[in-house]
Amino acid sequence: MPVYDHLLHEPIPLASRTFSDHPVYLVARDARSQLTPNETQRTTLIVAGCYIIAIAILWHVPYLSFVIYPFKLLTVGFHEMSHALMGVLTCARIHSIELDPDEGGATRMSGGVPWLTLPAGYLGSSLIGAALIACGFNTNASKIATLCLAAFFLFTLWWARRNWLTWVLILGMSGLIVLFWFVADSVALRFFVLFIGVMSCMYVLWDVIDDTIARKVNGSDAYAFSEICGCCPSQVWGVIWLIIAFCFFAAGIIVGLVAFKQSAAQQAQDTSHFLPVPR
């Protein structure tokens, strides 16, 4: 294929080509520039790293773990809602979604395709977390993400309308979203969305390890899936789902780096024209 001079847009003679003119080098250089974070993205990555450390500490410290307890329940809600959405896509009838104070949940449905609905819990909530992480790199994207969460909350309330804990959780999270929307021209909302995304991905990784790899839980999704397929134990499926969930986590960061290169000033200007905060 011909290689063109970047300034003159003319083909470079074969004898005059250098390695820096080679298409493979040009693609690699472009990929490197896309993945290199700018100042605003570096701040976002540092905050995400602090979130990971804080979540890991709070997770295992007695009493302090209560700080992230509502967000654990939210990720359980993502898990159960993912089951339900996949059930709808495979023509299942959703009877109810339930959350319990012990950070557990259940989705009751009839019909559907178990091969798809069972892994949808872990993988779906991990995908939601990755999408929120990517949106957490940009203020307008975070606004759109919260609008999608609002639709998600409405569907969850419809299927969990008799579960008081779900109502309290969603109303509380909705209040936080509205509050952060008005703080610092929605910059606080961006970091809140980033936190929910990191929390969701971290919870999935830990839950898969705890329920399927470190110990065998007969009531886990991986155990039920292994009973259906009959070819591999639940630990094997747990490892496979863990790898996929980690790939989603990494993909969320990569998408955020590539898609949202705007500086903080550019984001502030953009967000002033998209669902702006009343002054």
Side-chain angles (χ1 to χ4, degrees):
M1 62 178 291
V3 178
Y4 292 86
D5 183 273
H6 295 295
L7 297 178
L8 301 178
H9 302 286
E10 296 178 354
I12 301 175
L14 183 62
S16 303
R17 294 182 187 177
T18 64
F19 179 72
S20 61
D21 299 319
H22 196 280
V24 174
Y25 176 82
L26 296 177
V27 171
R29 185 176 64 182
D30 183 65
R32 185 170 62 250
S33 65
Q34 290 292 318
L35 293 175
T36 301
N38 57 29
E39 183 178 352
T40 302
Q41 290 177 323
R42 280 195 294 270
T43 301
T44 302
L45 290 174
I46 292 172
V47 172
C50 292
Y51 285 161
I52 292 174
I53 295 173
I55 290 170
I57 294 174
L58 293 174
W59 202 296
H60 299 95
V61 177
Y63 302 109
L64 289 181
S65 61
F66 181 76
V67 175
I68 59 173
Y69 174 74
F71 299 98
K72 286 184 177 182
L73 289 180
L74 181 62
T75 57
V76 173
F78 288 157
H79 180 104
E80 301 304 331
M81 187 64 181
S82 297
H83 281 309
L85 289 177
M86 183 55 70
V88 170
L89 293 176
T90 55
C91 301
R93 180 184 177 187
I94 311 301
H95 300 289
S96 66
I97 290 178
E98 297 178 3
L99 303 181
D100 65 63
D102 294 328
E103 301 172 22
T107 301
R108 307 185 188 283
M109 68 176 77
S110 55
V113 181
W115 286 78
L116 297 176
T117 56
L118 284 171
Y122 288 126
L123 301 185
S125 55
S126 180
L127 181 60
I128 291 172
L132 293 176
I133 289 175
C135 291
F137 280 80
N138 182 269
T139 306
N140 279 351
S142 296
K143 289 181 176 181
I144 295 173
T146 56
L147 295 178
C148 294
L149 283 179
F152 165 86
F153 289 163
L154 290 175
F155 278 109
T156 304
L157 288 178
W158 172 254
W159 283 319
R161 52 189 177 273
R162 296 181 180 179
N163 186 255
W164 66 268
L165 183 60
T166 305
W167 276 88
V168 172
L169 174 67
I170 289 181
L171 291 176
M173 288 298 165
S174 300
L176 286 176
I177 288 173
V178 173
L179 173 64
F180 288 132
W181 194 301
F182 285 85
V183 176
D185 291 329
S186 301
V187 174
L189 180 70
R190 178 166 79 86
F191 288 111
F192 183 64
V193 168
L194 180 68
F195 177 79
I196 295 176
V198 172
M199 182 71 199
S200 183
C201 286
M202 290 284 290
Y203 193 93
V204 171
L205 295 176
W206 173 255
D207 208 26
V208 171
I209 293 173
D210 188 46
D211 283 353
T212 64
I213 299 176
R215 60 193 178 98
K216 182 179 179 181
V217 179
N218 290 342
S220 69
D221 294 336
Y223 179 82
F225 191 80
S226 67
E227 290 290 301
I228 292 175
C229 68
C231 61
C232 298
S234 60
Q235 289 87 346
V236 173
W237 292 114
V239 171
I240 294 174
W241 295 353
L242 180 68
I243 293 173
I244 296 174
F246 184 81
C247 289
F248 283 157
F249 196 169
I253 296 174
I254 293 173
V255 171
L257 289 174
V258 173
F260 304 116
K261 286 293 185 184
Q262 298 92 337
S263 65
Q266 289 173 324
Q267 290 191 35
Q269 183 178 5
D270 292 342
T271 196
S272 66
H273 301 291
F274 179 74
L275 299 176
V277 176
R279 296 182 184 276

